[in-house]
Amino acid sequence: MFDSEQMVLSMGPQHPSTHGVLRVILKLDGERVVDLDCDIGYLHRGAEKIFENRLYPMIAPYLDRLDYIAAVSNGLLYVETVEKAMGLEVPPRAQYLRVILTELNRLASHLLWLATHALDIGGFTVFLYAFREREEILKIFENFFGARLTCHAFRIGGMSYDAYPEFEAQVRAFCDLLPKRIEEYETLLNENRIWLGRTVGIGVISAEDAISLGLTGAPLRGSGVDYDVRKTDPYECYADLEFDIPIGENGDTFDRYLVRMEEMRQSRRIIMQALDKLPDGPVIGKVPKVIRVPAGEVYHSIEGPKGELGLYLVSDGGTKPYRLRMRPSSFINLGALRKMAVGSLMSDVVAVIGSLDIVLGEIDR
């Protein structure tokens, strides 16, 4: 053992830069990563088994606690899956409100990612700036949902209540402020030699490898693959809205950063259009008092902040799902860590993990 030039080092599960209870087992030759393996299971909560023993309306809040940074998106995925299985129609106003709230959630998720990613690499100022804007979104969520983190207002067939009176004005005020703030982040980072040294050429993955590993979200688009569920398989009212899908060229950590920065601008663009087109009317459709999903199976996916979120539902015709299985984007994306980090320095592993934007609650569901 003492004659070996390689060393096995355990990074986590309490390491702050592993973004949760992830243990990365590194095999090092000096500072160079020779091999690595991800050890999960420290947070396992058995959510998918719990789903089998709950009535359909009772399940929705559980998904808010998986990717707790994107609780609104998770809730949307669940209600849309059940609606698809039941053939329910959602009123137009509810669709537009859902889109506004999930895009605000995407912005909140990206701002938290930017803050923690910059902090991992040494940018403390950006951490403070990004949390400043995220706080404004959380204030809107607090007014709408009554909660800041595990937000839940979507119901099977629509929403439980309409927007509060000041909702539109507060969202517009935030959207008016955001472009200037994004420029501030980019001024701090885009030409910062430390940031460039820690991100350019780090964690490179080709488009072919990204596709074969099943990557989605910014890790896939950063490698130049133009894929977004909102465009390829539109849901809610996305087909009526105009927005672009940013893609990278080099597939490195810097490109994944650039993609997410542009995604924030596009989310703002979506929100402003949805506010302009927001129709009047009810926010809940015709829903049976007792939710029974017809026997069969259905798969549905949406574009979450971290990539494609999917839900596979198997029903036996009762009031509880026979099986409910998630396709979590963080779990799939984490599978590319070895491909992206082997051959780099140990400190680069921190930057690569940050560029994947993982949340262990979703991975270790």
Side-chain angles (χ1 to χ4, degrees), residues 46-55 59 320-325:
E48 289 164 330
K49 192 64 181 175
I50 292 173
F51 297 158
E52 298 174 15
N53 298 282
R54 297 291 185 273
L55 300 175
I59 294 171
K320 302 175 183 177
Y322 178 78
R323 190 77 176 94
L324 199 58
R325 174 76 176 174

Side-chain angles (χ1 to χ4, degrees), residues 239-258:
D240 300 328
L241 305 174
E242 295 182 3
F243 59 99
D244 299 321
I245 305 301
I247 60 173
E249 297 178 357
N250 305 309
D252 59 5
T253 298
F254 187 68
D255 271 15
R256 291 187 282 276
Y257 152 75
L258 291 178

Side-chain angles (χ1 to χ4, degrees), residues 18-24 38-48 63 65-68 74 306 309 325-337 353 356-365:
T18 56
H19 296 254
V21 283
L22 169 66
R23 179 181 176 226
V24 182
C38 296
D39 182 14
I40 62 175
Y42 296 92
L43 190 68
H44 191 58
R45 58 187 73 177
E48 289 164 330
L63 279 87
R65 287 149 178 82
L66 298 182
D67 179 2
Y68 36 82
N74 284 22
K306 298 166 179 63
L309 275 171
R325 174 76 176 174
M326 280 200 73
R327 186 235 183 252
S329 47
S330 292
F331 178 75
I332 306 296
N333 291 349
L334 183 63
L337 181 60
I353 292 174
L356 291 173
D357 190 18
I358 59 171
V359 166
L360 264 291
E362 181 181 280
I363 293 170
D364 214 2
R365 62 210 176 283

Side-chain angles (χ1 to χ4, degrees), residues 33-38 202-213 215 251 256 333-344 352 356:
V33 178
V34 177
D35 198 4
L36 67 78
D37 191 19
C38 296
I202 303 300
V204 177
I205 187 165
S206 66
E208 293 76 16
D209 288 335
I211 292 170
S212 68
L213 288 167
L215 294 186
R256 291 187 282 276
N333 291 349
L334 183 63
L337 181 60
R338 184 178 185 277
K339 183 73 177 177
M340 298 163 79
V342 168
S344 62
V352 175
L356 291 173

Side-chain angles (χ1 to χ4, degrees), residues 23-258:
R23 179 181 176 226
V24 182
I25 305 167
L26 297 168
K27 184 181 285 187
L28 304 171
D29 183 357
E31 289 269 336
R32 189 73 57 182
V33 178
V34 177
D35 198 4
L36 67 78
D37 191 19
C38 296
D39 182 14
I40 62 175
Y42 296 92
L43 190 68
H44 191 58
R45 58 187 73 177
E48 289 164 330
K49 192 64 181 175
I50 292 173
F51 297 158
E52 298 174 15
N53 298 282
R54 297 291 185 273
L55 300 175
Y56 283 103
M58 297 169 62
I59 294 171
Y62 281 91
L63 279 87
D64 301 343
R65 287 149 178 82
L66 298 182
D67 179 2
Y68 36 82
I69 307 302
V72 182
S73 297
N74 284 22
L76 179 67
L77 171 65
Y78 174 71
V79 295
E80 280 192 354
T81 304
V82 178
E83 288 160 3
K84 185 176 181 179
M86 296 180 67
L88 296 177
E89 290 189 11
V90 178
R93 182 173 178 83
Q95 292 187 32
Y96 277 86
L97 285 173
R98 285 178 172 185
V99 165
I100 293 168
L101 291 166
T102 49
E103 291 302 322
L104 282 171
N105 190 209
R106 192 183 312 277
L107 284 167
S109 178
H110 280 5
L111 287 168
L112 182 66
W113 160 79
L114 179 64
T116 54
H117 189 40
L119 187 64
D120 287 345
I121 297 177
F124 186 69
T125 303
V126 182
F127 176 86
L128 298 175
Y129 279 28
F131 263 84
R132 175 187 60 190
E133 275 65 72
R134 184 172 179 268
E135 180 65 22
E136 296 306 309
I137 298 175
L138 297 189
K139 287 177 182 177
I140 295 171
F141 284 176
E142 192 171 9
N143 289 334
F144 199 106
F145 300 108
R148 291 164 58 87
L149 192 66
T150 52
C151 306
H152 184 71
F154 301 155
R155 295 291 186 271
I156 297 168
M159 303 182 66
S160 55
Y161 42 79
D162 207 336
Y164 59 92
E166 299 84 14
F167 173 73
E168 185 175 342
Q170 290 179 358
V171 174
R172 287 188 186 276
F174 171 76
C175 288
D176 291 341
L177 175 75
L178 188 62
K180 188 175 180 180
R181 303 299 184 165
I182 294 176
E183 289 178 8
E184 288 182 1
Y185 311 148
E186 292 179 334
T187 300
L188 287 167
L189 297 176
N190 281 14
E191 297 180 11
N192 184 309
R193 64 180 184 177
I194 298 174
W195 181 260
L196 295 176
R198 295 295 306 277
T199 59
V200 175
I202 303 300
V204 177
I205 187 165
S206 66
E208 293 76 16
D209 288 335
I211 292 170
S212 68
L213 288 167
L215 294 186
T216 55
L220 177 66
R221 293 189 284 273
S223 295
V225 181
D226 185 3
Y227 176 77
D228 189 304
V229 181
R230 293 173 296 176
K231 285 285 191 181
T232 58
D233 188 14
Y235 51 94
E236 298 297 343
C237 61
Y238 279 108
D240 300 328
L241 305 174
E242 295 182 3
F243 59 99
D244 299 321
I245 305 301
I247 60 173
E249 297 178 357
N250 305 309
D252 59 5
T253 298
F254 187 68
D255 271 15
R256 291 187 282 276
Y257 152 75
L258 291 178

